[in-house]
Every structure is written in structure tokens, then in C-alpha cells.
Amino acid sequence: MEKLNLVDVSIHERDWKQFRKTATQEELLILGLGVKYRIIKSRPVAWISLLGIVLSVVIGLLLMMTMDDMSAGLVVLVVGYVVFSFLATKIIRYSDSYGQIRRRLDKENKKLLKNAYNVSAAADFFDAFVQLPIMFMTIPYQALMMGIGMIAPNFAVSKNGVLVAIPKGYDIGNLQSMSAYYASYSLLEDMEKTSYENNHRYVVTFTNSMGCEETVCSPDGIKFYKENGEYVGYSNDNGKTIVDER
């Protein structure tokens, strides 16, 4: 799998709910691609976290039952549990983000997201097999983080807010521009085709303000653009007449 240069972005739960109400299918799919990539790349951490949590609890309890001084076992249990739960934090947040995004996608885009990165059905199964027990085992840790977040709201956003990943150098306020980034890695050939078709629902040749004929396209018949994405003008009659605003 090709290496992508992504950065993590935490979004406040309130802002995330508002975004989901107005987000397009393409915007959701783009965020889903970043989150899925992070989940795939974090598999080793997921396995280490799960194993570490289990061993910390088991070894800690054994030490507490077999040693006269229970403190050593308690330290192993508590410290080990907190450390490995902390390692699992991003995995939990990404899994939650992925689930929320996937539920908002239509059938076609769910298929595109499922087929991204050529992940096998077996790999998907093992991802779920690891993530599910991690989510249950870290409930006490998550409750602790939520409690701290009530005292320190900024901490809540950075640790408990919705976590997504976007290409480095891009602005989360303009998600559609990221489709070109993913397409350059041959990840979105189908999406690129769909995006082209959506953006060319209306194709019109008109005489621009300089008296030259120009061909423009539009996804909605209202705002028209050049092939390079530059805004040209608008129409109130599905392109029969276009007001050049350049």
C-alpha cells in the first residue's frame, strides 16, 4: 500500500454533528478514506494495545493474589492498563469516526470506501476482531478521559473529539480539493470518474464578456466553472444564459 502524507485533525462533537447535516457524499467519502488509512496503518498498535491490556490485568491480578504485598500487582495492573489504553485511544476514535462516516454514505460510496486500499475481507474481519474488545476493555479509561474533559474542555476536544485525517497541506474547510490528492495515488479512479460526471451535468458554450466563445460546466446548472475549477459565472435558467462574473 502506498504511503500517504496525512495529518490528524480533532473536531469538536458539536461541530461534527453540524458538519454531517450538510456534508456531501464526496466530502464524507474523502474523510472516510483518511480514517480508513489510519486504521489500516495502526494495526500493529491495535494488536500491541490489546495484548498489553490483557497481560497487564492478568499479571497484575496474579501478583496481587500470590504476593504478600499487593501494591506491586496493583501498580502493574493500573499503570499497564492506563499506558496501553492510552496507546489504543486513537484506534478507538478512528473506529468511531469511520463508523459514523460509513453510516452516512449511500450504497455506491460505501462500496468505494470498502474497496479502497485493496483490503481483504479477512483483514477487515481481524480489524473488527481487535477493535471490538479494545473498545469494551477501555471503557473505564474513556470514562476517566470524559471526566477530565468536563474540567478541561480543550483537553476534551484534543482527546475525546472526533478524529479524522486529511492530506497534509490541505484545508479541512475545502474537502473536495482533496479528491485530486487521492486520485494521484490511483485510489479514486471510480470516484474521479463519478466526480467528473457530477461536475459536468451541465456543459454550455457561451460568449463571454470578452466576446469569445467559451465552454463551461456546472454540477447544478447555477454556478459554472472552467475545466480547471475556476469560477466563471452563474445562470438562472440552467445555462441558457450565463452572467460572466470575472
Side-chain angles (χ1 to χ4, degrees):
M1 183 171 63
E2 293 182 275
K3 184 178 180 180
L4 304 182
N5 190 9
L6 306 182
V7 294
D8 294 339
V9 178
S10 284
I11 305 174
H12 196 285
E13 189 71 32
R14 180 184 62 251
D15 297 331
W16 175 249
K17 288 180 179 179
Q18 184 62 37
F19 166 78
R20 285 186 302 170
K21 293 179 181 178
T22 58
T24 65
Q25 287 291 301
E26 183 178 354
E27 289 172 336
L28 289 170
L29 177 57
I30 287 169
L31 286 180
L33 287 168
V35 170
K36 184 174 182 179
Y37 178 83
R38 286 297 203 211
I39 291 175
I40 293 171
K41 299 299 288 185
S42 64
R43 279 176 184 159
V45 178
W47 282 100
I48 292 171
S49 299
L50 177 58
L51 183 61
I53 291 172
V54 172
L55 289 177
S56 297
V57 174
V58 171
I59 294 174
L61 290 175
L62 285 175
L63 291 174
M64 291 172 67
M65 290 186 294
T66 58
M67 297 181 66
D68 294 333
D69 186 359
M70 296 176 59
S71 60
L74 185 61
V75 169
V76 170
L77 192 155
V78 174
V79 174
Y81 174 80
V82 171
V83 168
F84 288 107
S85 294
F86 174 77
L87 287 177
T89 299
K90 281 191 176 182
I91 299 166
I92 296 168
R93 296 173 68 196
Y94 274 130
S95 297
D96 180 59
S97 300
Y98 185 79
Q100 292 187 49
I101 291 169
R102 192 176 182 281
R103 285 192 292 272
R104 286 278 178 169
L105 292 175
D106 57 28
K107 185 177 180 180
E108 180 182 349
N109 285 294
K110 280 182 181 177
K111 184 178 180 181
L112 287 174
L113 184 58
K114 180 181 179 181
N115 294 335
Y117 310 111
N118 297 317
V119 178
S120 66
D124 277 336
F125 171 78
F126 280 109
D127 283 342
F129 179 79
V130 174
Q131 292 163 16
L132 189 61
I134 284 178
M135 292 187 70
F136 279 107
M137 290 180 182
T138 57
I139 287 176
Y141 178 82
Q142 294 178 61
L144 175 63
M145 293 298 101
M146 290 179 65
I148 295 174
M150 294 177 65
I151 303 172
N154 291 333
F155 182 87
V157 174
S158 63
K159 297 299 181 185
N160 299 324
V162 176
L163 189 63
V164 296
I166 63 173
K168 187 175 182 180
Y170 285 78
D171 181 5
I172 196 169
N174 186 13
L175 292 174
Q176 291 186 350
S177 65
M178 301 177 198
S179 60
Y181 175 87
Y182 286 113
S184 68
Y185 286 88
S186 301
L187 292 172
L188 286 179
E189 292 179 354
D190 290 336
M191 178 181 165
E192 192 177 31
K193 179 181 177 182
T194 301
S195 178
Y196 179 88
E197 292 172 350
N198 289 339
N199 290 329
H200 288 71
R201 287 177 181 170
Y202 298 85
V203 179
V204 176
T205 299
F206 78 111
T207 302
N208 61 29
S209 57
M210 297 181 66
C212 301
E213 285 194 346
E214 186 174 6
T215 300
V216 292
C217 58
S218 171
D220 55 13
I222 300 174
K223 293 183 178 180
F224 283 80
Y225 304 85
K226 295 170 65 174
E227 286 292 342
N228 63 4
E230 179 186 345
Y231 176 67
V232 173
Y234 70 91
S235 173
N236 292 321
D237 51 13
N238 290 333
K240 292 179 181 179
T241 56
I242 296 176
V243 178
D244 193 336
E245 292 194 307
R246 290 171 296 181

